[in-house]
Amino acid sequence: MQKFLIPAVMVAAALSCQAPKPQEPEPMKPQKIVVYQVFTRLFGNTNSNNKPWGTKEENGVGKFNDFTDTALEEINKLGVSHIWYTGVPHHGVIGDFPEIDVSSDDPDVIKGRAGSPYAVRDYYQVNPDLAMDVTKRMEEFEALIARTQKHGMKVIIDIVPNHVSRHYEGKNNPKGVNDFGADDDTSVEYARDNNFYYIPGEAFQVPEPKNGYKPLGGEKHPLADGKFDENPAKWTGNGSRLAQPDFYDWYETVKINYGIKPDGSKDFEELPAGADSLDWKKHYEFWQGKDVPDSWKKFKDITQFWLDKGVDGFRFDMAEMVPVEFWSYLNSYIKNTKPDAFLMAEVYQPALYRDYLWKGKMDYLYDKVELYDTLKNIIYGHGSTDNLPAIFESQRDIEHHMLHFLENHDEQRIASPEFAGNPWKAMPAMVVSATVSTSPTMIYFGQEVGEPGAEDAGFGDPSRTSIFDYIGVPQHQKWMNGGKFDGGQLSENEKALRNYYAEMLNFTRNSPALMGEYMELHSFNRKQNPAYTDKVFAFARWDESQKLIVVTNFDEFQSVKTTLKLSPELLKAWNLQPGEREIKELMFGKKKTMLRVTDEGAEIDLDFGPWESAVFEVK
């Protein structure tokens, strides 16, 4: 059984709060966004067998229909505004589906048994594993879209423009849409309107396995023969130009050609000077009548197809590996169809952030290499909160667009021994992440109940919940409670953790100050007060209707008993009058302290236990 040491004050506060009420039909605007990423194949699986490399018959598989009205209502109660259903488009998977004339993918070019969601095999259909009736798999997903929206949440799915499955097979293309590569000239390495890059005269070779790896764990399979027919070979998804890519390359995928020549030069019209200051409408106008590479048109058609199905937005995989001009083209077409479409993307190079936001017309980018990596280091216990102010200052002009998270399918689970080991250890970071800016907050299913990702699923290693195999998610399954979705199998500590997330996320959704101004108080206090250490972080958030002070203690062992001084800049902004007053915590409402304002300055008494956080309202 998973056991965690939890500061008693945090458990008491979390358990004492009432279950959050669903969001009002007409929430205040503007409002913080909360994204719930769910790995669709795993969410509803109640099977706990968890055999390494197990089949779906052995280990089970979740379905679209597992997202019942009850399940969606409970997700909504967490404070969620958007659900990102990961792994919806039909990707490579081991196993035949004779009812729909879909044959098994080759284990030699598939990672895991259930396959990677980022090796899409057919963009105009959904993963057949997710359907109760594979002949009606699209109808089942359309019903899920409608159910999700009925419960007040928007639907996001993945689009992976950089690469597709080595075995791409568009069996469901709309009339007039040709398959990827169908019209390619395969005798040349590159042509502008080829969808792929080729290695003429060489056939693809399966990578040499490393570390004793065997497809399907060594199980015999008629296609697992160390061969895959692809002649001429194509460039691999991560850019490898070898006919035999390395085992650690993205060998299950092939790279899409967007009109970037092998020497890196661009074979299309570039954006005009000043494009970064133009809105999406001007970008849309610019691309009208322009001759663009064929791959651009194919992905424009794909996204329009899914918008027509009712999805509300997209998460774009590895966006920085695709030219920013393409994003200007694609996203302006998306916005022209659906102006409020939600567009978020992976971009891991901070120097590119502004180009992909202002020129590429993305709404939100992962704040991974700056905020996430810094917070993870602090959670480990050997990082300093002194590193946080510079991040927020450097992002001041784009803070609204930097999506914050502490878990997703690519990152280690907080509760894994390889990361924090204890999910409560990350709660100060979660409070900072969720309240420090106007940007969206994202959590990953199971995070809110302390899922450690400890299973040996087959492909990949523990600490990350597998995206490649059929597996159960034990902590999440305890919350599912056989389909009741009532947390009935959770311990009191686990219930307290979920309550904490719900209270915090609902607070962020409904606090007007969190869509307002920000001022850090950390640097001022570090200079003024030796008892205020680099394990504490404090800042102010406010608008015309609400003033907040947020304080967190990241220290695992030490309490904080000192004062927090308000900077002269904040006193001026808030126009605080001299005097002494009691201020109260807003999230759990348990903590109270005193604020003293004099002609010399202002300070707040702090008495915080390990890992404790509070949001105080100043009236």
Side-chain angles (χ1 to χ4, degrees), residues 2-27:
Q2 191 83 3
K3 294 184 178 180
F4 307 121
L5 296 175
I6 310 172
V9 65
M10 296 175 72
V11 176
L15 286 175
S16 66
C17 72
Q18 297 296 311
K21 296 179 180 179
Q23 296 300 306
E24 296 297 323
E26 296 183 4

Side-chain angles (χ1 to χ4, degrees), residues 207-371:
E208 287 289 337
K210 296 182 179 179
N211 303 318
Y213 173 80
K214 296 179 181 178
L216 304 182
E219 176 186 314
K220 288 186 177 181
H221 188 282
L223 297 176
D225 56 2
K227 299 176 183 178
F228 181 75
D229 185 16
E230 179 183 291
N231 193 2
K234 303 180 182 79
W235 288 14
T236 293
N238 62 321
S240 171
R241 305 183 186 190
L242 301 175
Q244 185 177 36
D246 187 80
F247 180 72
Y248 293 112
D249 287 328
W250 304 346
Y251 62 83
E252 77 278 25
T253 66
V254 290
K255 187 168 179 61
I256 296 289
N257 164 29
Y258 284 92
I260 299 291
K261 297 177 182 179
D263 65 5
S265 60
K266 297 176 179 179
D267 204 358
F268 47 79
E269 187 166 347
E270 297 191 46
L271 291 166
D276 53 349
S277 64
L278 302 177
D279 63 18
W280 67 259
K281 294 179 182 178
K282 293 294 185 184
H283 280 247
Y284 178 78
E285 289 175 10
F286 173 78
W287 292 113
Q288 299 310 297
K290 296 289 192 300
D291 183 26
V292 299
D294 184 72
S295 296
W296 294 31
K297 301 171 190 175
K298 279 188 165 57
F299 272 97
K300 183 253 292 181
D301 291 343
I302 288 164
T303 51
Q304 293 294 315
F305 171 85
W306 288 107
L307 290 173
D308 188 57
K309 291 293 181 186
V311 305
D312 298 293
F314 305 103
R315 181 267 190 187
F316 297 124
D317 186 75
M318 296 307 296
E320 67 197 71
M321 298 182 76
V322 177
V324 73
E325 291 86 355
F326 162 75
W327 293 114
S328 163
Y329 169 87
L330 181 74
N331 289 340
S332 63
Y333 268 90
I334 291 171
K335 293 287 189 180
N336 189 62
T337 300
K338 185 176 176 58
D340 65 345
F342 181 97
L343 307 176
M344 68 171 176
E346 278 184 299
V347 174
Y348 291 143
Q349 300 180 63
L352 298 178
Y353 287 168
R354 287 159 183 81
D355 274 356
Y356 280 79
L357 289 169
W358 307 144
K359 294 181 181 178
K361 297 301 159 194
M362 296 295 183
D363 293 324
Y364 306 103
L365 306 178
Y366 277 28
D367 197 349
K368 197 274 184 191
V369 301
E370 293 186 324
L371 184 59

Side-chain angles (χ1 to χ4, degrees), residues 39-213:
F39 204 82
T40 315
R41 183 174 69 225
L42 303 182
F43 178 86
N45 183 20
T46 57
N47 187 316
S48 58
N49 191 32
N50 287 358
K51 173 186 174 183
W53 294 100
T55 65
K56 58 190 168 190
E57 291 76 20
E58 292 170 321
N59 283 358
V61 61
K63 306 290 184 179
F64 291 132
N65 288 359
D66 294 326
F67 293 88
T68 63
D69 285 311
T70 301
L72 292 167
E73 185 63 21
E74 292 304 313
I75 292 171
N76 182 241
K77 286 180 182 178
L78 274 175
V80 171
S81 59
H82 294 64
I83 300 184
W84 165 18
Y85 289 106
T86 305
V88 167
H90 184 180
H91 57 74
V93 61
I94 305 301
D96 296 316
F97 296 90
E99 310 97 313
I100 51 175
D101 191 31
V102 170
S103 59
S104 176
D105 280 270
D106 189 325
D108 292 304
V109 289
I110 289 289
K111 291 179 177 176
R113 185 183 291 274
S116 167
Y118 298 104
V120 175
R121 173 172 165 173
D122 186 346
Y123 259 116
Y124 290 101
Q125 255 301 349
V126 299
N127 179 2
D129 269 345
L130 302 176
M132 296 296 292
D133 180 349
V134 295
T135 66
K136 297 180 179 178
R137 58 201 184 283
M138 184 63 79
E139 291 92 331
E140 290 186 23
F141 181 57
E142 290 171 341
L144 175 56
I145 294 173
R147 277 200 308 282
T148 305
Q149 293 167 340
K150 181 183 74 173
H151 286 277
M153 296 175 288
K154 296 183 181 296
V155 172
I156 303 165
I157 66 167
D158 292 281
I159 298 291
V160 191
N162 180 63
H163 48 269
V164 294
S165 167
R166 272 219 128 84
H167 180 202
Y168 193 90
E169 188 180 29
K171 290 196 169 191
N172 301 277
N173 295 351
K175 186 177 180 180
V177 174
N178 290 337
D179 225 1
F180 282 100
D183 302 317
D184 282 6
D185 177 357
T186 63
S187 69
V188 296
E189 181 180 30
Y190 166 84
R192 194 199 72 154
D193 289 316
N194 276 358
N195 298 133
F196 304 123
Y197 298 91
Y198 295 90
I199 309 171
E202 295 189 60
F204 172 78
Q205 296 179 62
V206 173
E208 287 289 337
K210 296 182 179 179
N211 303 318
Y213 173 80

Side-chain angles (χ1 to χ4, degrees), residues 585-605:
E585 180 186 8
L586 280 189
M587 280 203 300
F588 293 115
K590 296 296 183 181
K591 185 175 283 293
K592 302 175 183 178
T593 191
M594 300 303 296
L595 166 64
R596 292 179 294 278
V597 183
T598 67
D599 292 337
E600 287 74 39
E603 61 182 22
I604 295 171
D605 292 327

